[in-house]
Each structure stands twice: as structure tokens, then as C-alpha cells.
Amino acid sequence: MATRALVLGGGGPVGIGWETGMIRGLQEDGVDVTDAGVIIGTSAGAVVGTQIASGKTPAELLAEQFAQLDDGTGAAITPDIPALTAIGQKWLGGAEVTTAVRAEIGALAVDAKTPSEEKWLAPFQKALLSSEWPSRRLVITGVDTGTGEFVTWERASGVDLAHAVAASCAVPGIFPPVAIDGRRYMDGGVHSVSNARQRWG
């Protein structure tokens, strides 16, 4: 049983940079959080968590963040504004986001005009160190667009790593839900920004 978990939440590209910088800063001050028994990643945290679990050091990850700033990588995104507005009202409107509400968000996500799934997956397949899950315990979160149910994937799930991370990052209304085993999944942050209250024993 894991005695300590590293839980990394969402936040998009800014979240990736912030989490990377925070982890590196803590390490420089003598607090190494990367040796946790289990790493749980949601959305941006799925990217950072996967890289850490796969063996990249915080220093390497931080250097990559600065390199991206220098080379200007990152394409502009044109979201489906009507879909994004409807999703935002359900997701961030203040009412409880129940399983049924998440299913409604999922339906809007499936119908939204977004980049193709193939285009969305490509950078994840390129960026990950390997298509294989790391030996360390890594848990990636997502939400089933059809049922609104919270789901997790790890090495024993038999799911392609890039697909799991891309699904966890698929913000509804901006990016396409990702197909895994005949179902489509969206950002794990639709359930919780961090998913820190689950049991990860």
C-alpha cells in the first residue's frame, strides 16, 4: 500500500508550467515529492505526472518548459463558443456537478466543433517517453462522456498511455473526447480539478 501520494491537478498549459516549477522549487529546498508511492494526474497533472513517473527529473521538465517559451511552440485554439458557453454554465455555473450533469456536459463535448481526435492525440504520442506505462504506479483520471462516470486508468487497465493522458486533458468544448475501448472520455477535471479525495491505497 502506498504511504504517500503525489496528486497533480488541472490547469492547462499554465498548470503544467506551474506544477513543474513548484515541484522543482520544492526539490531545490530539500523536499522531493517525486518519490511518492503513487502519482495521480488529472488533466495538466496527467502530463506532469506521467513524465515524472516515466523517469524525467524536475530539472529536465523545467528546462523543457523554458525551451517551449523560447521556440514559440503551441498553436492557437479556436473554441466552439456556443458549446463552450453551454458547457461552462453546467460545469462552472455554481450548481452541483452530478453524474447526470457530467453526462450532459459529455453530450455537448461530443457534439462540439473541435480539432480532430487524431490531431489532438499526435502531440501526446510524440511527447511521452514511451507508449508503455511506467513501472511506478501512475493513475490517470477521466470522465465517460456517455454516462458522466468518473474513471481511472493505470498500467493494469490495458489502455494506451497516450490515449489515457489525452483523454484526461480533453477539456470539453475545446478539445475532442478520446475514444478508448469503444467509449469516449473527457477531462478528469469535469469530476474534480484535483481528484484528491479519492482512495488510492
Side-chain angles (χ1 to χ4, degrees):
M1 178 178 290
T3 57
R4 189 166 60 152
L6 173 60
V7 181
L8 299 169
V14 173
I16 293 174
W18 186 88
E19 290 176 349
T20 301
M22 179 63 73
I23 290 169
R24 176 55 176 161
L26 287 170
Q27 186 183 58
E28 289 178 330
D29 283 344
V31 181
D32 187 1
V33 299
T34 66
D35 62 355
V38 55
I39 298 174
I40 297 96
T42 296
S43 201
V47 175
V48 178
T50 296
Q51 292 175 319
I52 289 173
S54 297
K56 282 197 173 182
T57 67
E60 290 172 331
L61 293 178
L62 189 59
E64 289 179 2
Q65 288 296 304
F66 284 116
Q68 289 175 19
L69 289 175
D70 292 339
D71 66 20
T73 56
I77 299 168
T78 304
D80 182 339
I81 297 299
L84 195 57
T85 300
I87 288 167
Q89 290 172 342
K90 293 180 180 294
W91 186 7
L92 307 171
E96 182 183 1
V97 183
T98 62
T99 302
V101 171
R102 291 196 295 271
E104 293 175 4
I105 294 171
L108 290 167
V110 169
D111 290 339
K113 298 175 182 177
T114 65
S116 69
E117 185 178 340
E118 181 180 15
K119 185 175 182 179
W120 174 237
L121 278 167
F124 292 94
Q125 294 167 327
K126 180 180 179 180
L128 296 180
L129 289 176
S130 170
S131 61
E132 299 295 325
W133 285 77
S135 57
R136 294 183 61 185
R137 189 179 178 204
L138 170 69
V139 181
I140 303 297
T141 71
V143 172
D144 187 314
T145 59
T147 65
E149 293 179 343
F150 175 66
V151 298
T152 62
W153 300 285
E154 49 187 303
R155 183 172 47 180
S157 302
V159 170
D160 176 76
L161 178 58
H163 278 72
V165 177
S168 187
C169 293
V171 180
I174 300 179
F175 303 119
V178 175
I180 297 175
D181 295 333
R183 302 196 64 82
R184 300 185 73 184
Y185 297 91
M186 60 185 173
D187 197 313
V190 178
H191 178 263
S192 164
V193 174
S194 67
N195 292 298
R197 296 180 64 185
Q198 309 303 311
R199 292 184 179 275
W200 305 111

